Amino acid sequence: MKNPSLTIGVEEEYQIIDPETRELRSFITQFMESKGGAVEVVKGELKTGEVKPELHASMVELGTPVCHTSKEVKEALFEQRAHISRLAAERGLQIAAASTHPFSHWLGQEISPYERYYKTVQDHQIIAQRMLIFGMHVHIGIEDRDMAIDCMNVVRYMLPHLLALTTSSPFWSGRITGLKSYRSILFEELPRTGLPEEFSSWAAFDRFVQRLINTGCIADGSKIWWDVRPHYAFPTLEFRVPDICTRAEEAVAVASLIQAVVAWLCDLRKRNLTFRTYRPDMIYENKWRALRHGLDGRMIDFGKEEEASTKSLVRELLLLVDEQIDELGSREEIEVIYSILEHGTSADRQLRVFHENGGEANKEQALCAVVDHLVRETTEGISA
Amino acid sequence: MSNRPSLKIGVEEEYQIINPETRGLEYVITRSSKGEEPVLRGHDSEAPLNETLASLTRSLASPVLGNISAVRDALLEQRIVVCRTAQDLGLAVAAAGAHPFASWRQAGVPMPGRFVGLSDELRGVAERLLVFGMHVHIGIEDRDFAIDCMNIVRYVLPHILTLSTSSPFWMGRDTGLQSYRCVVQENLPRSGIPQRFDSYAEFQHYVDVLTRTNCIRSVTDIWWDVRPHPVYPSLEIRILDMTPRVEDAVAIIAVVQAVVAWLYDLRSKNVSFRLYQTSLIEENKWRAERYGLNGKMIDFGKEEQLPARFLVRELLRLIDPYVDELGSRREINHIYTIVEHGTSADRQRVAYREHGGDSNREEALRAVVDHLIQETMICVE
């Protein structure tokens, strides 16, 4: 087996916010047409990717270049957020990183004016219109495609742990959903989402994709939206399970942890070992608990067949990949995870801000306060 | 080799009780998750329920029936009792997968049944569950054959779903889907098409692990589209929307029974229908939800898209050798009418358009409710 490069790339989908109303604002067309938007921003060696549209016109997507270390990711992601916030500020707008908007309703949201998005809505109807959600995708370079599949099978077990660290969608259409990641529920309304089934090889996966293409289910592999997938164009394994982290340093920490987990699985493989694979319907139980309770709940250790606090299971995962963290030189970036474990995720903070500002009794202002809080945190520690 | 299954039939229906003035939902006769017994739900759990309807609901047993004509009689009788009781109270009844405009967010709308039976755990997804399904039980006494049958029958669940679709509207909007109920239902954990199990022992192990780790209290907290019933010796098909017309329900039940008879016969000849990956079957389920009979589904053997109508007719041919023996020829023949003329979802859209559609939305939606009531209550006349 060829050693994987373990490169990291992070894509983030941001909310475009109107600072007056705090509502989402459809603005992607203007961004695309603006000079600083379509042009790549160069800073030192790193190129921040282009501004890209997404399904709804109030979303804007940016991706880091291919990075080799956590430090590069940190620099690129910070620069990317600073860049998009500047672009927005120049037009009197703001940017927020959270997987749902606290109150903007999906009804009446503009769809980005591109053929492929109209087709998505035509195909998926109300389900597509409700997809007013924002994600973070982390790519890890695994050039050997069979290893990518092997890794995908095994890493499914850790996806709930990763989700628990990132939850940022407790609100939907102005209501407390009772879940920490309502985005996860919404996204799974689309076909080809959620935890993938196990594949025995790259050939088996490729055959699966070909079948779906041959039978008109999909035009190409980009329409497979699982929580983890071998990317259809890049030689990467793409992690799509996390909510977008509101704080940039938390996003960097989670991306670094994902890199360390993949490195660990490859090291196991070299020693002829593997983490046990479990049925997706069992892993889903942990995903449910992660999206419902975030870090505050308990998940299941299926090896022991026992419940344990989610925080202790995340700490255990960090210990499992400890060696790899040093090898990859990401100790400092990953330290942030301990602070997430202690203080909670964006979802926890959003709920706190909501209650501190009067909660249900003062709902409109409290929800606006959450938006302001999100805008602030999105560029916290980043010089614009 | 297991004994021939009894193929006895049990049916559970859920009804919408409607205020004929506003056309809004007044009550729902639904199932509680605990033991799945029928319950009546009103506007909130505290308010006193209508005692007449409540006691009627408690008496709605789901008898085990030997053949399809007994099913027809029982279902008809049950619906007549519910409709008459409602009528006496100045209310009406509709049998459909969703109410066209009731909003679970609005005060005054009945609580979904399962929500009340469940812990706070499912909050956020359970409160949306204002949907109505038909559950069909087929008696399979041998538990290993029940699992075998569950594995294989997954392939035809989308086909069966296309025949029952009746939830195109949701909260006053055309969803663009034929069965939006399926989408809402799949918000729940442990829903949708199950994965395959090698044996009853493996299924039992799955249940044991989930029970031990406090994921579920019992099998009743597993809401798959098909499951071995926790108490009765039956396989329970749960993918179906409620159908307004009783003869549609009876015909679909007859198909489900004949499919199990067919799979048993194959098994006794050492043959099996091929097993496909759950992800592939889900593609057909998606198409069934989205387009119903009007779309195409995939024949994964041929790896080809074919009209859903064609594939349903093909299924009817496959089960044809068992239909006479089961005494359900007349009922199965009715499926051809459904295939030709469409399902309730199609008729609801026609009613909506004929009453002005989007430009006359509120009235058009009320007309859809009237249409559903009319199709449901025709059995009383």
Side-chain angles (χ1 to χ4, degrees), chain A residues 192 197 207 285 305 307, chain B residues 190 212 214 279 283 303:
Chain A
R192 282 159 249 121
E197 288 185 87
R207 172 92 182 88
E285 295 295 333
E305 285 187 15
E307 285 181 283
Chain B
R190 286 161 244 118
R212 215 164 33 239
N214 299 311
S279 326
E283 293 293 335
E303 271 188 34

Side-chain angles (χ1 to χ4, degrees), chain B residues 39-151:
Chain B
V39 288
L40 181 73
R41 296 269 172 236
H43 293 166
D44 62 68
S45 46
E46 258 87 88
L49 288 171
N50 183 301
E51 200 31 57
T52 315
L53 268 176
S55 65
L56 163 70
T57 303
R58 283 192 292 273
S59 71
L60 292 179
S62 167
V64 179
L65 303 157
N67 59 51
I68 200 69
S69 62
V71 169
R72 169 198 297 278
D73 293 347
L75 216 52
L76 206 53
E77 191 190 311
Q78 174 165 312
R79 286 189 174 211
I80 288 171
V81 171
V82 172
C83 289
R84 288 229 170 101
T85 310
Q87 263 176 336
D88 291 346
L89 296 164
L91 297 165
V93 180
H99 184 280
F101 63 83
S103 162
W104 58 271
R105 286 187 167 203
Q106 225 163 29
V109 167
M111 312 272 279
R114 279 166 232 279
F115 181 48
V116 184
L118 294 169
S119 63
D120 195 40
E121 176 67 15
L122 291 173
R123 207 190 137 189
V125 297
E127 56 190 9
R128 272 184 97 215
L129 274 183
L130 200 60
V131 289
F132 307 84
M134 174 168 77
H135 300 175
V136 180
H137 298 256
I138 305 295
I140 302 179
E141 289 67 23
D142 182 301
R143 301 264 81 184
D144 273 312
F145 179 65
I147 292 296
D148 193 11
C149 190
M150 175 167 91
N151 288 333

